[in-house]
Amino acid sequence: MREFTYHRAASIADLSPDATIIAGGTNLLDLMKLEVMAPPALVDITHLDLGGVEPEGEGLRIGALVRNSDLAAHPVIRRDYPVLSRALLAGASGQLRNMATTGGNLMQRTRCPYFYDRRMACNKRDPGAGCAAIGGVTRNHAILGASDHCIATYPGDMAVALMALDAVVEIDGPTPRRVPLADFHLLPGDTPHLETVLEPGEIITAVILPAPPGGQHRYRKVRDRASYAFALVSVAAVIATDGGRISHAALAFGGVATKPWRDPEVEALLKGSEPSDALFREAADILLRPARDWGENQFKIPLLRRALIATLRDATGMETAA
Amino acid sequence: MTRHLRVDGPTHDDRLDHMAQGILGQPLNRLEGPLKVTGWAAYAAEARPANMVYGVLVQATVPAGKVLEIGDAPGALAVIQDKRMVRYAAQGMDQKGPTSGPDQIEYMGQAIALVVAESFEAARHAAQNIAVRYKVSSVPVEPEAVTPELPPKKQSAAGDVDKAMREAAVTLDQVWHTPSQMSAAMEPHAAIAEWDGDQVTIRAALQMLSSNRKQMADALGIKEQNLRLLSPYVGGGFGSKLGINAEAVSAAIAAKELGRPVMVAMTRQQVFDLAHRRSETRQRIRLACDADGRLTGIGHEVLVSNLPSSEFTEPVAQATPFTYQAAHRQVVHAVARIHRGCAGSVRAPGEAVGVTVFECAMDELAEAAGIDPVELRLRNIPDVEPTTDRPFSSHKLAEALREGARLFGWSNRKPTGQQVEGEWMIGMGMAAAVRVNMLVESRARVTLTQDGQAVVETDMTDIGTGTYTILGQLAAEMLGLPIEQVEVRLGDTNFPPASGSGGSFGAASSGNSVYLACEEIRGQIAKAMDCDEADLTLQDGMARAGNVARLLSDLIDGQISGEGHLQPGKTEKSHRQATWGSHWAEVAVNRWTGEVRVRRMMGVFACGRVLNEKTARSQCLGGMTFGIGIALTEAMEHDSRDGHAVSRDLAEYHIPTHADVPPLEVHFLPERDAYVGPLQAKGLGELGICGAGAAVLNAIHNACGVRVRHLPATPDKIVAGLKD
Ligand SMILES: Cc1cc2nc3c(=O)[nH]c(=O)nc-3n(C[C@H](O)[C@H](O)[C@H](O)COP(=O)(O)OP(=O)(O)OC[C@H]3O[C@@H](n4cnc5c(N)ncnc54)[C@H](O)[C@@H]3O)c2cc1C
Ligand code: SF4
């Protein structure tokens, strides 16, 4: 670990473009020990007034410091946004969720093992160095949204559910602004070191949820062990049916793409249609049209397809999962 | 006085069953449990001798070659390069230090130097950033890329398996792959070395102190008498602490050079690079049987790997020669010399992956022959060891199979793919469990004081297995004392040298030495009582013989002590010694995603005398859990370009979590094995692993019809075999 200064922020004004925010520390500290991240200055935001889950309009405002475990257990979240609660509970472990914050979770970095290993070339860690993952062990890399510069997945679960809920990220800084989550994470392109639209000196202060969407909520996470593993593939689904037809369909995908993934064409196909296996297969075809594999992660293409079909069958009442 | 026993013949006298205290075998809680849960049990890295500094290993960033130059480490006290530093860990029971000379790089991640600083953080920073110049060589890192060696001693054949295959009514010929695996003990490897003149004391995380002391003395070039090792508490080993490794050797070298105590603790990532891995295996199994399922041919061809300079090779087919009979048999053991991290003993070396794969093959043969898998096994159990005609010391496989089938409800098993609950396909599977049994020379000293306190001392280790407790129970039983009056001291080379913990031989080997030491003391008490030792009853601090009863305190003047010394003897050769059992599993496979959930799992085991029902059971629970890991989750992947271990932490290397493990059921078959010493107890911990994964994999097939032959059976591999 490199030496760094530590400062506890008393107000948002204490933030500076030179200091890296630390919240729960569950991701940042691991990376600092390995010197994958080596910030010279840390600013601890855990004493700022950024907690609380409050009504905002017809929706909710979730403070950036709300812990993952508290958010998952929040009665309004469980009642009105169960997909979020389920996604949170599918992530990490109880101990980690007790520490992890809403803002930190959105900002968590990839688990690409080559990113974590400073012996290996990595464009994300060291722009221009090359990507050691390509040609190496790519089992858990992205099939969607990757570039020849970086094929790492966005690993989180919470953001996948938030995508399906049309969440908006509230940002404070020199110019306070709100950014739809769909626009918050960036594709790697040829700048994989740039992961979000957040600028130095800015902070996530809250996540805003619109009015509850109703319908059936599912979060299906397929992973290598039953708990405490990142997704191979995950599907967040909010589906409503009306008179035998799908009236609302919001779908987001994790573990497969370089950012929380959503495909409007898939949803457009589903909306207004009668649920059927043929329809779901067509939805999967559309979703996977841009998919590209890197060898070992080829299996994610059929697995994502199957996970999507199973989730849709389940959410539309064609089959119960349990 | 020392009571010595070489196990040259049987012990038919079940005298431990007739002792009066009645504590042996009882499910006592672990004696050191409260210390552990309150944090008072100090592990290797938890001491803080005055003036201590911290060392962090510098690791090679190339797969092979030579270190030309190591740069400076600003902020550090020293960069230590010493030709005595070791390239990898010693193998279990080695009598010498492992290959030294860290300048010569044999694998990516090898330790090449040590940086020492006033804080761990400073040392780590320096070690991570130090500039090293290399002369890089290009080397093979993939087992299939080289022509393997065929060590002559490790090949065996009788009859003609090819012919048996041609002529048999039913045959099976398939290839399985298992990946490298890591022991993944909770406590990372660590050591603190401190010199006093020419005497060095090393607190370390080690499993086998008496051989570790020899290895360390050899590695450092010092006399054994000048070296004391302390490992009173070890946070799991699973083979990875059988031999000394770079952290302890370099701590001792640095401490001498700096004249200060030095701690070297590996980071979790370093453990994955530097601890022994279990070799990946490629196993071709050929089986031939007649229409009734009687085996006529057995072929087991194994490919494993290791570094060119290491002698160890995973004994994958170790149990194949004696588990089932067949006239035609062949074992081929090939070794690919490649440059991945050093391979060594990891949790039941050999059978953990060998029996697992073989028992999958038996399941496939049963299916092909249309015979129930339990029945197929029952029909092929030999009366004597097939390859040598030696008798078995005891043999409980048939009983374990029948009893297991009954307890598990095997008769309710449905044909493949016939049981469906919602998205889940349900299936049952089973496998035989078998593991070779070993005894290892072991010594212990027991001292009994006038106030009725017994102290057991041996350099045996307790790596979380329950050694403190069972040795305490043995002494309490033999000397007729409540357990509170027995103190067990372990993990110090100042005590008599023991077997150490490994290969499941620790409990029986060290237990027998404590038994013998107690016999010696009993002899002295009998003398004071003026009776034969055989007529002596000791209970609750009283000695009785005939109608004489006396307080122990009246018989002892000051204290009496005795040493026990056990050596394996002729029964090692005269009898095939093994432990037996059966594994049973019920799984659910998700028909969409291929996820597997083990719903029920049971093991039936025969391991001779059970010394403590609870710690024995815990050993089996751990073993069966590792079986789930082998079947479903554990894989250490290597980069095909440079061989480095890619998953290097416990988030990415998947040990089963609680959610992966259903309530496990364990049953012991009552057994006394006469050929394994007076305790009549055999090894146990590893038996729980051997075959457990096969029960899971066979259940997956019964559930959904998919055979996964590339372990572990992760969702991708199951889905590949499922219909849309
Ligand atoms: C072993 C392990 C397993 C895990 N498994 C999963 C899993 O299965 N699914 C999953 O989704 N996650 C998983 N995680 C990740 C976990 O969810 C994240 O580590 C956690 O959410 C990060 O939150 P934090 O508050 O601790 O962030 P920190 O570590 O404090 O910060 C992370 C990053 O966010 C930035 N940051 C924090 N707060 C703000 C803010 N308010 N505004 C701007 N920037 C901010 C920091 O500067 C830093 O770069 C796992 C983590 C570990 C260690
Ligand atoms: S995939 Fe991305 S994160 Fe991984 S090594 Fe390549 S550039 Fe780095």
Side-chain angles (χ1 to χ4, degrees):
Chain A
M1 196 180 273
R2 213 164 283 220
E3 279 193 13
F4 57 91
T5 62
Y6 170 87
H7 174 69
R8 182 181 281 171
S11 78
I12 296 250
D14 289 348
L15 303 180
S16 98
D18 306 324
T20 298
I21 290 171
I22 179 163
T26 59
N27 190 210
L28 183 60
L29 289 179
D30 279 0
L31 292 167
M32 284 174 68
K33 290 179 199 167
L34 297 169
E35 295 190 25
V36 171
M37 290 176 80
L42 286 189
V43 55
D44 179 349
I45 60 166
T46 52
H47 289 249
L48 297 182
D49 185 18
L50 295 174
V53 178
E54 308 293 339
E56 180 177 298
E58 288 176 71
L60 284 183
R61 182 177 184 282
I62 301 165
L65 285 177
V66 175
R67 306 282 174 175
N68 287 180
S69 45
D70 294 336
L71 188 57
H74 197 280
V76 180
I77 300 290
R78 290 178 47 157
R79 188 189 65 208
D80 293 342
Y81 307 92
V83 65
L84 177 56
S85 189
R86 289 179 195 168
L88 283 161
L89 291 177
S93 64
Q95 296 91 327
L96 286 160
R97 292 194 295 270
N98 286 340
M99 288 302 291
T101 63
T102 306
N105 193 319
L106 280 182
M107 295 294 290
Q108 68 174 285
R109 309 203 62 192
T110 185
R111 307 304 286 202
C112 168
Y114 296 88
F115 170 70
Y116 266 75
D117 186 343
R118 281 176 72 232
R119 302 171 300 187
M120 301 290 136
C122 171
N123 286 325
K124 194 185 268 302
R125 213 184 328 105
D126 187 6
C131 170
I134 295 174
V137 173
T138 57
R139 181 162 183 275
N140 210 4
H141 285 80
I143 52 169
L144 291 165
S147 73
D148 290 332
H149 301 273
C150 180
I151 62 171
T153 57
Y154 172 80
D157 293 297
M158 180 189 81
V160 180
L162 289 176
M163 280 290 273
L165 292 169
D166 295 306
V168 172
V169 184
E170 182 190 274
I171 296 169
D172 204 346
T175 13
R177 54 190 176 130
R178 287 189 169 192
V179 177
L181 180 61
D183 302 328
F184 183 76
H185 292 98
L186 302 171
L187 290 172
D190 56 7
T191 52
H193 60 292
L194 303 177
E195 294 172 353
T196 70
V197 297
L198 207 68
E199 299 282 344
E202 287 189 318
I203 178 176
I204 300 171
T205 47
V207 170
I208 315 295
L209 293 181
Q216 294 291 317
H217 289 215
R218 296 290 183 274
Y219 189 75
R220 183 183 279 257
K221 178 175 177 181
V222 185
R223 43 184 151 173
D224 282 333
R225 62 181 167 189
S227 164
Y228 194 47
F230 287 91
L232 295 171
V233 161
S234 74
V235 182
V238 179
I239 305 279
T241 47
D242 188 11
R245 289 180 184 275
I246 296 172
S247 54
H248 175 82
L251 292 164
F253 305 91
V256 286
T258 50
K259 57 175 275 187
W261 198 255
R262 197 165 166 181
D263 189 329
E265 266 192 77
V266 175
E267 293 169 19
L269 170 82
L270 294 171
K271 265 177 236 163
S273 303
E274 269 179 49
S276 72
D277 281 327
L279 177 73
F280 299 160
R281 280 200 288 270
E282 200 182 334
D285 288 341
I286 294 173
L287 174 68
L288 287 162
R289 215 181 287 145
R292 170 180 175 197
D293 73 82
W294 306 86
E296 288 182 359
N297 65 347
Q298 197 282 331
F299 74 92
K300 285 191 176 182
I301 295 175
L303 190 59
L304 178 57
R305 178 184 189 81
R306 300 177 74 102
L308 172 61
I309 293 171
T311 309
L312 290 172
R313 287 175 62 102
D314 180 21
T316 56
M318 286 173 63
E319 181 172 27
T320 46
Chain B
M1 288 284 285
T2 298
R3 180 80 50 116
H4 171 260
L5 177 76
R6 219 175 68 177
V7 186
D8 286 332
T11 312
H12 289 303
D13 169 17
D14 298 344
R15 70 180 309 213
L16 274 168
D17 292 314
H18 307 297
M19 291 282 160
Q21 195 65 24
I23 193 164
L24 191 64
Q26 295 297 311
L28 253 58
N29 286 336
R30 299 236 296 256
L31 299 184
E32 83 291 12
L35 290 180
K36 284 190 172 160
V37 297
T38 55
W40 283 100
Y43 292 88
E46 292 187 303
R48 288 292 177 278
N51 219 14
M52 186 178 85
V53 285
Y54 298 80
V56 170
L57 294 165
V58 179
Q59 296 178 267
T61 58
V62 300
K66 215 172 154 25
V67 176
L68 298 179
E69 192 188 340
I70 299 189
D72 294 333
L77 292 169
V79 178
I80 301 204
Q81 288 172 271
D82 189 301
K83 60 181 187 328
R84 292 172 297 171
M85 285 169 66
V86 300
R87 296 186 198 159
Y88 41 75
Q91 300 288 347
M93 313 234 247
D94 276 359
Q95 302 296 302
K96 283 189 169 356
T99 307
S100 57
D103 284 4
Q104 203 63 43
I105 299 160
E106 296 199 48
Y107 61 97
M108 181 119 160
Q110 180 190 306
I112 53 175
L114 184 80
V115 173
V116 186
E118 293 286 351
S119 74
F120 171 74
E121 288 73 18
R124 186 178 191 175
H125 172 60
Q128 280 171 336
N129 291 285
I130 199 163
V132 182
R133 261 193 336 112
Y134 302 99
K135 179 171 173 285
V136 184
S137 4
S138 129
V139 289
V141 297
E142 290 285 311
E144 317 259 354
V146 296
T147 308
E149 287 173 9
L150 289 163
K153 280 202 182 130
K154 294 187 172 160
Q155 322 301 321
S156 68
D160 182 347
V161 176
D162 293 337
K163 182 161 169 283
M165 291 292 285
R166 278 196 306 274
E167 294 172 357
V170 188
T171 60
L172 170 114
D173 183 356
Q174 288 290 355
V175 176
W176 280 259
H177 293 264
T178 66
S180 291
Q181 293 161 353
M182 182 46 65
S183 45
M186 187 98 84
E187 177 201 23
H189 302 58
I192 297 176
E194 195 172 0
W195 290 83
D196 180 3
D198 61 359
Q199 300 279 322
V200 62
T201 301
I202 308 177
R203 298 174 52 91
L206 293 167
Q207 295 179 224
M208 308 184 83
L209 293 194
S210 55
S211 49
N212 297 146
R213 191 182 187 200
K214 294 195 174 73
Q215 296 155 8
M216 185 64 81
D218 179 53
L220 295 175
I222 62 172
K223 291 204 179 71
E224 254 192 83
Q225 309 86 275
N226 292 344
L227 168 66
R228 182 179 182 194
L229 294 177
L230 294 173
S231 293
Y233 300 106
V234 181
F238 310 113
S240 74
K241 295 166 186 167
L242 289 177
I244 61 162
N245 204 344
E247 84 289 357
V249 175
S250 58
I253 292 170
K256 183 79 182 172
E257 197 160 318
L258 294 169
R260 296 172 70 174
V262 174
M263 175 201 291
V264 181
M266 288 194 201
T267 63
R268 181 62 68 187
Q269 288 79 11
Q270 289 181 325
V271 173
F272 277 88
D273 291 332
L274 296 172
H276 286 157
R277 66 185 171 96
R278 186 202 303 284
S279 170
E280 71 296 315
T281 74
R282 177 188 186 277
Q283 302 182 48
R284 179 188 184 202
I285 298 210
R286 289 186 296 162
L287 296 174
C289 70
D290 65 19
D292 293 331
R294 292 192 212 285
L295 287 166
T296 53
I298 295 176
H300 197 163
E301 294 163 43
V302 172
L303 174 66
V304 297
S305 73
N306 207 347
L307 292 167
S309 66
S310 177
E311 267 168 37
F312 178 90
T313 64
E314 176 90 12
V316 176
Q318 184 162 250
T320 306
F322 65 88
T323 308
Y324 300 111
Q325 62 191 6
H328 304 278
R329 21 197 345 132
Q330 186 185 21
V331 168
V332 176
H333 184 90
V335 187
R337 295 297 177 183
I338 56 168
H339 295 260
R340 295 178 171 182
C342 190
S345 297
V346 174
R347 316 180 204 135
E351 287 93 324
V353 285
V355 171
T356 297
V357 163
F358 198 94
E359 289 295 308
C360 287
M362 286 294 279
D363 199 68
E364 295 202 26
L365 185 73
E367 187 194 13
I371 296 173
D372 180 88
V374 179
E375 185 55 34
L376 178 71
R377 286 162 174 91
L378 287 170
R379 284 184 198 174
N380 289 289
I381 294 177
D383 297 326
V384 292
E385 184 175 46
T387 42
T388 62
D389 288 340
R390 284 189 291 180
F392 290 100
S393 67
S394 74
H395 201 298
K396 290 273 181 180
L397 178 55
E399 196 179 330
L401 290 168
R402 292 203 177 94
E403 190 63 1
R406 188 181 68 76
L407 290 165
F408 197 67
W410 182 251
S411 56
N412 299 325
R413 178 178 183 253
K414 307 258 182 325
T416 302
Q418 299 285 297
Q419 196 182 341
V420 177
E421 294 176 16
E423 288 186 2
W424 297 90
M425 301 176 282
I426 318 298
M428 281 190 202
M430 57 79 54
V434 52
R435 171 75 175 155
V436 295
N437 184 62
M438 292 169 267
L439 265 186
V440 172
E441 182 171 9
S442 208
R443 291 174 190 263
R445 178 169 54 236
V446 177
T447 306
L448 182 61
T449 60
Q450 198 170 15
D451 55 2
Q453 290 287 327
V455 178
V456 179
E457 291 169 318
T458 163
D459 83 0
M460 182 61 191
T461 49
D462 186 330
I463 59 173
T465 43
T467 318
Y468 279 105
T469 316
I470 56 148
L471 297 185
Q473 277 173 281
L474 258 167
E477 187 67 67
M478 290 291 286
L479 301 178
L481 298 173
I483 190 74
E484 296 74 28
Q485 281 167 237
V486 182
E487 187 191 337
V488 183
R489 299 180 188 156
L490 303 178
D492 182 343
T493 50
N494 281 354
F495 300 146
S499 62
S501 304
S504 294
F505 50 66
S509 303
S510 69
N512 271 306
S513 69
V514 170
Y515 173 94
L516 292 168
C518 291
E519 262 199 339
E520 168 61 27
I521 292 181
R522 288 175 61 94
Q524 294 178 37
I525 297 171
K527 211 163 174 191
M529 288 281 286
D530 200 15
C531 68
D532 273 355
E533 196 244 300
D535 298 332
L536 181 71
T537 302
L538 298 179
Q539 188 179 10
D540 292 329
M542 293 287 292
R544 283 199 310 271
N547 44 19
V548 181
R550 295 183 60 187
L551 282 170
L552 274 185
S553 50
D554 294 341
L555 293 168
I556 299 170
D557 189 12
Q559 61 177 46
I560 52 179
S561 85
E563 282 207 19
H565 178 203
L566 174 99
Q567 276 183 302
K570 288 184 186 144
T571 62
E572 249 186 358
K573 297 265 174 326
S574 63
H575 287 72
R576 159 51 65 193
Q577 298 179 17
T579 47
W580 304 95
S582 59
H583 290 286
W584 309 82
E586 181 180 301
V587 306
V589 181
N590 188 284
R591 85 170 162 102
W592 292 104
T593 61
E595 289 161 288
V596 177
R597 298 286 178 264
V598 182
R599 304 216 300 187
R600 220 152 59 85
M601 200 163 168
M602 187 187 91
V604 179
F605 305 112
C607 57
R609 181 187 303 279
V610 172
L611 303 172
N612 175 323
E613 197 49 70
K614 187 174 206 165
T615 56
R617 184 169 173 278
S618 296
Q619 287 291 291
C620 297
L621 299 182
M624 290 160 74
T625 301
F626 285 138
I628 295 175
I630 289 173
L632 298 181
T633 58
E634 285 186 55
M636 209 176 138
E637 289 162 298
H638 297 273
D639 191 295
S640 61
R641 298 161 299 190
D642 56 25
H644 84 271
V646 174
S647 32
R648 298 198 302 155
D649 60 42
L650 296 177
E652 307 296 330
Y653 183 79
H654 293 150
I655 297 284
T657 65
H658 280 290
D660 295 285
V661 184
L664 304 175
E665 229 183 285
V666 175
H667 300 275
F668 293 111
L669 296 178
E671 185 187 31
R672 304 282 181 262
D673 189 323
Y675 294 90
V676 296
L679 239 55
Q680 304 166 316
K682 292 190 281 195
L684 175 60
E686 296 169 321
L687 182 63
I689 309 175
C690 305
V696 173
L697 293 162
N698 295 339
I700 291 173
H701 175 261
N702 180 238
C704 68
V706 178
R707 297 277 185 199
V708 176
R709 300 192 192 92
H710 263 96
L711 273 49
T714 42
D716 46 328
K717 294 172 200 157
I718 307 248
V719 157
L722 291 178
K723 291 196 299 281
D724 261 357

